[in-house]
Amino acid sequence: MVKQDRSDRRLSGLLRHTAMYSAEPLVRQLVAVVMQRFYTTWLAPGVMGVKEVVDLWAIGLQQLLGQNVLGAMVRFYFDRQDEVERARVVTSCTLTTAILAWIVCGASLVFSDSLASPLLGEAGPDVTAPELVRIVHLLLVLVPFQLSTIAGFYYLQILERSGLYSAIKIAKLALEVGMYFWLIGARGMGVEGFLIGMLVGEGLATIGLTGWMLATLRPRIDARILWPILAYAAPLVPMGICQLALHQVDRRLLVHFGGDLGRGWAGIYGHGYKIGYLVTAMMLGPFIQIFQPWIFAVTDPHERGRLLARISSYAVLAVGGTSLGVVLFGRQAAILLAGRQQYWAAYEVIPWVAGGYVFWALYHVSQMPLFIAKRTGRLLAINLAAVLVNVGLNAVLIPREGYVGAGIVTCVTFIVLAGLGMIASRSEARVPFELGRIGAVLFAVVLGGALALWIDRLEAASELGVLPSLGAKSVGLAALLLALWYGVVRAGERTELRAWIRARRGGGNQ
């Protein structure tokens, strides 16, 4: 009974911190939804396509230059019991990553003229060659600041300072959005304005947050502590590049395989992708931020395996159930959030992307046993296989189906990734994943996607009116959610959840 009570307290703490971490992504995604209307008004699809490719390279450089070293910092922090050594874990990872980023990006600035076309594509009527070069300049200055800021936020996660974490993130977001209105909306600076706004926010966050962290911990690089972390993170760097490709390379492939239409396709696809990714950004990211240090701190392997299995089911259920709304009403969202009619066609990719990200959530929770066992080499192999599938299918489907082909490939790739991740984790740690419950959630998402594609095609062909379409989707959504609530969530869990919600409303403690 004591063990069960301790487990319940652990789960309650996980829920509490996840809710706190969800505040910033919720605000950020609400702002992103509103801003998408402005972006698609301010920027033509071709310019939006450049922005999508810039996002690809920003994330790619972060992965290449050490973001996964910062992620490893969280894993190794809890291996140390002495506070001085824990501080050296943090400062060694932070300083090494920052120094490497400034060296690589600073040297690359010399070759900006030559890098512009390979990174962003050829100049055209929407974006001139000098603009592309200036965009590369800004990108190379931005990335080191981003990595330094990420280090500070990881440290807040380690300390479980979820309230402070969310407050700083929201303040940073507010500043950047204000800069976008001024630089992009008022001054018409396009992608350059977007990067300058981000640079101001990241620079201030680095000075304030990361500067405070280093001053508190007394900065030092300890080679004895750093080398095991680098060895652990070494497979994670190429793995991070692989995951970047899984999330972002389709934009660059649309530009490459789409010819004259490619950059516009990338802009339209990016509009739909942001809507399809909405639930994952709001829910999965905050959950993983606290879940990793939380599960690493559980030392009993049997208890850890039981918790992993239970929470994996809850995570997939939460993401899958919420994603059904995006899957079914993606067409309405794409039209509502588009400032120009050219972006309306993005609805065709939303069910594929949103459904695919439910499988991504399954992969994300299933990989935890490999992180715990420090078997990161297997994760690299899994992600590399998924990248090969992604690039190969995109090369076939983009020329045939355009941006819709890229959406289909995203879904198929994440199905492959989730399957390989589950197989590897079960063989490594024998975590008793609840395959029946997880499979039921995935089946409901597939049904929702099929229903959305069918209704949307009827509506686009004027064979079904807007109101009947909304009615049919609403009925379908209600039926699927009820099926999940009574078919996947157990009776005891429904009772516990209702009690937990009542306690939160009443200000009590669970």
Side-chain angles (χ1 to χ4, degrees):
M1 184 65 181
V2 174
K3 184 175 181 180
Q4 181 64 35
D5 290 343
R6 185 183 300 117
S7 174
D8 289 343
R9 288 197 299 272
R10 282 173 173 164
L11 288 171
S12 180
L14 178 63
L15 286 171
R16 178 170 55 85
H17 283 293
T18 299
M20 290 295 293
Y21 279 122
S22 296
E24 182 272 332
L26 177 60
V27 172
R28 174 160 44 85
Q29 292 306 314
L30 290 174
V31 170
V33 166
V34 175
M35 290 301 295
Q36 191 66 13
R37 178 80 183 194
F38 289 100
Y39 290 147
T40 54
T41 301
W42 295 333
L43 306 176
V47 181
M48 185 71 84
V50 174
K51 178 183 174 296
E52 294 294 328
V53 176
V54 167
D55 290 341
L56 159 68
W57 290 114
I59 299 170
L61 286 171
Q62 291 171 34
Q63 294 287 347
L64 183 64
L65 297 176
Q67 181 170 344
N68 281 305
V69 173
L70 300 175
M73 175 179 84
V74 179
R75 175 67 182 88
F76 279 79
Y77 182 92
F78 291 99
D79 283 350
R80 304 283 176 173
Q81 301 304 316
D82 181 75
E83 292 300 323
V84 173
E85 290 197 339
R86 284 183 165 186
R88 289 180 182 177
V89 168
V90 175
T91 61
S92 296
C93 292
T94 300
L95 292 174
T96 301
T97 302
I99 291 169
L100 176 64
W102 280 112
I103 290 173
V104 173
C105 291
S108 299
L109 282 169
V110 178
F111 306 101
S112 296
D113 291 357
S114 302
L115 291 172
S117 293
L119 293 181
L120 305 178
E122 298 297 329
D126 292 324
V127 184
T128 65
E131 287 176 314
L132 291 176
V133 173
R134 292 195 298 270
I135 289 169
V136 171
H137 285 161
L138 290 167
L139 174 64
L140 292 173
V141 174
L142 173 66
V143 168
F145 282 108
Q146 289 180 317
L147 285 168
S148 297
T149 302
I150 288 169
F153 283 121
Y154 270 128
Y155 183 59
L156 291 181
Q157 290 173 31
I158 288 171
L159 299 179
E160 296 188 356
R161 298 289 300 276
S162 50
L164 181 59
Y165 177 100
S166 295
I168 295 174
K169 282 263 191 175
I170 291 172
K172 177 174 170 288
L173 174 66
L175 173 64
E176 291 174 356
V177 168
M179 296 290 292
Y180 299 156
F181 273 98
W182 175 44
L183 296 171
I184 305 174
R187 299 190 60 186
M189 294 182 66
V191 179
E192 292 177 67
F194 182 78
L195 290 171
I196 292 171
M198 289 183 66
L199 184 57
V200 171
E202 298 291 350
L204 291 175
T206 292
I207 294 169
L209 173 59
T210 311
W212 160 79
M213 177 188 76
L214 292 174
T216 301
L217 299 178
R218 298 182 180 180
R220 176 178 175 179
I221 297 177
D222 188 325
R224 177 181 57 87
I225 288 175
L226 182 62
W227 284 119
I229 298 175
L230 294 179
Y232 170 86
L236 297 180
V237 174
M239 189 188 83
I241 299 298
C242 289
Q243 292 195 348
L244 165 70
L246 296 177
H247 294 292
Q248 299 279 344
V249 79
D250 40 18
R251 281 75 155 178
R252 190 66 183 87
L253 293 175
L254 282 165
V255 173
H256 179 74
F257 291 117
D260 293 338
L261 298 174
R263 194 168 274 164
W265 281 357
I268 294 170
Y269 178 76
H271 179 56
Y273 198 100
K274 285 182 176 62
I275 297 170
Y277 181 66
L278 194 63
V279 171
T280 297
M282 292 174 64
M283 297 182 63
L284 185 63
F287 169 72
I288 293 299
Q289 285 171 346
I290 189 59
F291 182 50
Q292 285 190 351
W294 181 86
I295 199 67
F296 292 156
V298 178
T299 55
D300 182 349
H302 297 291
E303 174 72 356
R304 188 163 55 198
R306 191 185 69 81
L307 288 171
L308 271 169
R310 185 178 178 187
I311 293 167
S312 296
S313 298
Y314 294 165
V316 174
L317 175 62
V319 173
T322 309
S323 294
L324 283 170
V326 179
V327 168
L328 284 163
F329 293 95
R331 175 179 169 86
Q332 287 69 36
I335 294 173
L336 179 65
L337 299 176
R340 305 185 188 202
Q341 191 170 348
Q342 298 144 288
Y343 290 99
W344 289 10
Y347 79 87
E348 295 177 280
V349 308
I350 294 174
W352 296 104
V353 172
Y357 268 102
V358 179
F359 287 91
W360 168 254
L362 173 59
Y363 163 73
H364 231 305
V365 295
S366 71
Q367 69 179 339
M368 279 304 142
L370 297 178
F371 277 115
I372 292 168
K374 299 181 181 178
R375 296 292 300 275
T376 51
R378 297 192 70 178
L379 288 171
L380 173 58
I382 291 168
N383 280 267
L384 182 58
V387 169
L388 294 175
V389 170
N390 184 277
V391 174
L393 289 179
N394 268 314
V396 173
L397 289 183
I398 287 176
R400 296 182 182 179
E401 305 292 338
Y403 50 84
V404 178
I408 295 171
V409 172
T410 292
C411 186
V412 172
T413 300
F414 288 153
I415 291 173
V416 171
L417 187 69
L420 293 175
M422 289 290 288
I423 292 170
S425 290
R426 283 172 63 85
S427 65
E428 176 64 40
R430 302 190 182 279
V431 175
F433 289 112
E434 301 171 327
L435 299 182
R437 295 215 287 179
I438 291 173
V441 175
L442 299 178
F443 183 67
V445 173
V446 171
L447 281 181
L451 180 62
L453 291 171
W454 177 56
I455 294 175
D456 287 343
R457 284 171 183 165
L458 291 177
E459 185 179 347
S462 300
E463 296 179 16
L464 188 69
V466 174
L467 291 180
S469 171
L470 290 173
K473 288 182 177 182
S474 299
V475 171
L477 177 61
L480 290 170
L481 290 177
L482 285 172
L484 291 177
W485 180 247
Y486 289 103
V488 176
V489 183
R490 296 166 181 149
E493 292 170 339
R494 293 196 295 269
T495 301
E496 290 175 4
L497 180 60
R498 293 189 186 104
W500 187 84
I501 293 172
R502 284 196 298 269
R504 302 280 80 74
R505 287 178 177 174
N509 294 315
Q510 182 72 4

